[in-house]
Amino acid sequence: MKSIRNKLAIAACTVLSQGAQQANATEIDTSYLFYSEADDRVTVNKIITKTKTPLGDNDVISLEAVYDTVTGATPTGAVKSVSTVSVTTPSSGGSGFKTAAGTPDLVEFNDTRVGIDVGWVHRHSRTFKMNYGASVSLESDYESYGGSLIFDKETSNRNLTFSAGIAGAYDTISQRSGQTPKPMGDVQENSGNPEFFGKGNKRSYEALLGISSITNRRTVTQLNYTISSTEGYMTDPYKLISMTDSGGVEEKRYYESRPENRLQQTLYSALVHQLKNKNTIHLSYRFYLDDWDITSHTFDYKHRIKFTKNYYLEPHIRLYTQTAADIFQSSLDNNQPLPEYASADYRLDEINSVTLGTKFGMPAWGGTLRFRLEYLYQSFAEAEFNTNKAVIFQASYKKEFN
Amino acid sequence: MLLTTLQACAAFQTESVKPWQKGVLTEEAMQLDADPIESYVDDHIYFSKEASTGGRGIGGGGCGCN
């Protein structure tokens, strides 16, 4: 009897170690994303392919390739001007920007991005594995190189997994010309007598501590703590900030300026639970804190409604709220000296955001097909553009090959 | 919704789960990251549109997203 029980245990462990993937099956997941913002702002078309290949019993190699095209227009941070403003500084793929009097300031751009992520998971023993990762992301005005190392240690009954990891990244940033403007430099002066520097760079160091737990036979929970320290050039070389008079009328424009250090921390918790009707809920909450005075809360809830085997509908809601960064100012006061750091980037403003959508999954051609349609609504407290509305469509297909 | 909430409370009832009782947990829907390619896309979108980032994990390439 004990022998049968042991054999069952070994069999179950083998199944668990493979997760939802068949033994020795190569899994290919391919996805297309269409992201489009209202008012002819940003449009993104993205293709992603992710391959996961087991090598023997103890190793899994993964490769993820991403190709993005980004077009449209994005707010510069400047306020509505009273006269037409024309600046020859090249935007990301654009030829500069020209803003008619009285219209909000947008800069047109286009760019492409290629990204490669490589991962290797090696199981050293029944309860211990290591995850090695490397990534490269290339754009005309941004390059990123990163690496990561994560340890996963399970308890002997494999109901608890402890994770610890470190990661690092080196990024270079510039305008498309390969230059970066002087932080808090006067835009109009620069267009005639440019004061630009070479490429900026920044270095990021991350650490992770996590625990995931099988709470009962239908529930899994997770708790992660991450800390990230970044130093170097974190200014957005395209973003501007207006200096205005007491009536809010623009007098001058400056390039923004951000601090050279940032410490970010997150506490992330997640719960996955299968209800008695076989539907599954995914619930997560993230608390975020950084030393730019930003605090945020993110709630995410997905409810997978299973119709028959492999057919499902998954409604999704995401709620997000963020305080403004201490460097955020919608404009500069002409009665005050220029600050060392200031940004009117709407992403550093106080934000409230909601995402609503649903995903449909079905079997197709021996794999699974998923379609997702979502609507994102963001509101900003003080930024010149006080809302952002976007549609997200994603179609994905996954199949395993023996 | 109330029923779902009540049922979800069962998620907090802890029990010692034996290996042969983990069948449900191997289903794709029960993975902590049930759709990694969707998570990747979401992380990228919200990284580009909000000031917060991270939580689920570490590593991965950055971008100069607008």
Side-chain angles (χ1 to χ4, degrees):
Chain A
M1 185 64 188
K2 192 176 178 183
S3 172
I4 293 171
R5 177 178 288 190
N6 284 344
K7 283 178 182 171
L8 280 170
I10 291 165
C13 286
T14 306
V15 169
L16 277 175
S17 69
Q18 292 153 5
Q21 193 179 21
Q22 289 177 27
N24 300 318
T26 294
E27 179 188 283
I28 299 179
D29 201 357
T30 301
S31 191
Y32 164 72
L33 169 79
F34 174 74
Y35 168 93
S36 182
E37 295 178 353
D39 307 319
D40 296 325
R41 284 169 60 176
V42 178
T43 296
V44 179
N45 285 279
K46 185 195 291 275
I47 296 170
I48 313 165
T49 297
K50 186 169 187 172
T51 309
K52 221 160 69 172
T53 308
L55 297 176
D57 296 331
N58 296 315
D59 297 276
V60 178
I61 301 286
S62 62
L63 177 68
E64 190 167 74
V66 184
Y67 179 75
D68 283 349
T69 61
V70 188
T71 56
T74 189
T76 63
V79 301
K80 291 175 186 172
S81 56
V82 291
S83 59
T84 298
V85 176
S86 181
V87 177
T88 55
T89 303
S91 59
S92 184
S95 56
F97 48 84
K98 184 176 181 179
T99 304
T103 59
D105 200 84
L106 285 164
V107 56
E108 289 189 3
F109 71 102
N110 63 75
D111 209 346
T112 58
R113 182 175 83 96
V114 177
I116 303 280
D117 283 30
V118 181
W120 172 35
V121 181
H122 178 67
R123 184 171 287 280
H124 288 269
S125 70
R126 193 179 73 85
T127 58
F128 177 61
K129 67 180 179 184
M130 288 176 67
N131 306 264
Y132 305 88
S135 61
V136 178
S137 177
L138 302 173
E139 293 165 74
S140 60
D141 51 9
Y142 199 101
E143 294 178 7
S144 176
Y145 305 90
S148 63
L149 180 63
I150 300 172
F151 303 82
D152 286 331
K153 172 67 181 164
E154 296 169 298
T155 53
S156 57
N157 62 9
R158 302 180 84 171
N159 287 348
L160 277 179
T161 303
F162 299 95
S163 302
I166 52 172
Y170 178 80
D171 298 1
T172 59
I173 307 104
S174 66
Q175 291 188 348
R176 203 176 169 93
S177 61
Q179 295 181 307
T180 53
K182 178 188 173 188
M184 298 310 299
D186 186 313
V187 171
Q188 314 311 48
E189 276 180 12
N190 283 344
S191 59
N193 181 24
E195 194 167 4
F196 282 82
F197 303 104
K199 290 183 177 179
N201 65 71
K202 65 179 178 183
R203 297 151 301 282
S204 307
Y205 311 97
E206 295 178 278
L208 161 83
L209 284 175
I211 181 170
S212 58
S213 164
I214 294 175
T215 311
N216 57 50
R217 63 185 77 182
R218 290 186 292 119
T219 309
V220 183
T221 55
Q222 182 183 36
L223 185 66
N224 278 353
Y225 167 73
T226 65
I227 184 165
S228 165
S229 174
T230 307
E231 57 184 38
Y233 186 85
M234 276 178 277
T235 297
D236 187 322
Y238 298 116
K239 295 296 183 191
L240 310 175
I241 185 165
S242 302
M243 177 174 278
T244 60
D245 64 17
S246 55
V249 175
E250 182 180 48
E251 291 185 344
K252 276 186 167 185
R253 291 181 176 199
Y254 294 87
Y255 287 102
E256 69 153 43
S257 170
R258 303 187 192 190
E260 289 79 32
N261 290 287
R262 192 175 188 186
L263 188 70
Q264 298 165 287
Q265 298 179 79
T266 65
L267 195 61
Y268 172 84
S269 60
L271 180 146
V272 182
H273 177 65
Q274 188 186 75
L275 303 168
K276 284 181 178 170
N277 59 9
K278 307 291 185 191
N279 292 341
T280 311
I281 58 173
H282 278 249
L283 181 65
S284 70
Y285 165 71
R286 179 185 68 180
F287 175 68
Y288 169 95
L289 183 69
D290 72 23
D291 60 355
W292 289 4
D293 221 15
I294 295 170
T295 301
S296 78
H297 304 272
T298 312
F299 297 91
D300 196 283
Y301 179 72
K302 290 173 182 165
H303 190 121
R304 186 176 291 199
I305 302 163
K306 199 171 174 180
F307 298 123
T308 61
K309 194 180 180 185
N310 297 327
Y311 282 85
Y312 63 84
L313 195 67
E314 190 174 275
H316 173 217
I317 181 166
R318 180 183 187 272
L319 303 172
Y320 176 81
T321 181
Q322 150 189 325
T323 60
D326 52 9
I327 60 167
F328 178 81
Q329 289 179 247
S330 54
S331 61
L332 301 168
D333 185 340
N334 68 349
N335 286 319
Q336 299 292 325
L338 279 181
E340 185 177 9
Y341 303 118
S343 173
D345 187 341
Y346 65 99
R347 296 169 295 189
L348 298 178
D349 193 2
E350 183 184 322
I351 302 175
N352 288 301
S353 168
V354 59
T355 306
L356 277 173
T358 192
K359 182 167 73 170
F360 175 69
M362 60 177 286
W365 307 296
T368 57
L369 194 57
R370 292 102 71 207
F371 298 99
R372 175 165 73 120
L373 186 63
E374 299 194 330
Y375 179 73
L376 165 67
Y377 179 86
Q378 294 181 290
S379 67
F380 307 93
E382 292 182 29
E384 184 67 11
F385 286 80
N386 57 8
T387 61
N388 178 39
K389 292 166 267 186
V391 170
I392 300 163
F393 171 76
Q394 189 178 6
S396 310
Y397 180 68
K398 182 164 67 179
K399 188 172 181 179
E400 291 177 354
F401 299 88
N402 283 305
Chain B
M1 187 66 188
L2 180 64
L3 187 63
T4 300
T5 307
L6 288 173
Q7 285 185 16
C9 290
F12 297 102
Q13 292 173 356
T14 57
E15 63 174 323
S16 178
V17 182
K18 303 297 182 190
W20 54 87
Q21 296 172 326
K22 292 179 178 175
V24 166
L25 302 173
T26 64
E27 293 177 14
E28 183 193 272
M30 288 300 293
Q31 306 310 302
L32 282 163
D33 192 359
D35 197 338
I37 216 160
E38 179 184 309
S39 305
Y40 176 90
V41 164
D42 276 355
D43 285 348
H44 192 184
I45 290 172
Y46 297 115
F47 165 80
S48 309
K49 295 294 154 188
E50 297 167 350
S52 314
T53 182
R56 254 196 287 252
I58 54 173
C63 69
C65 311
N66 289 285

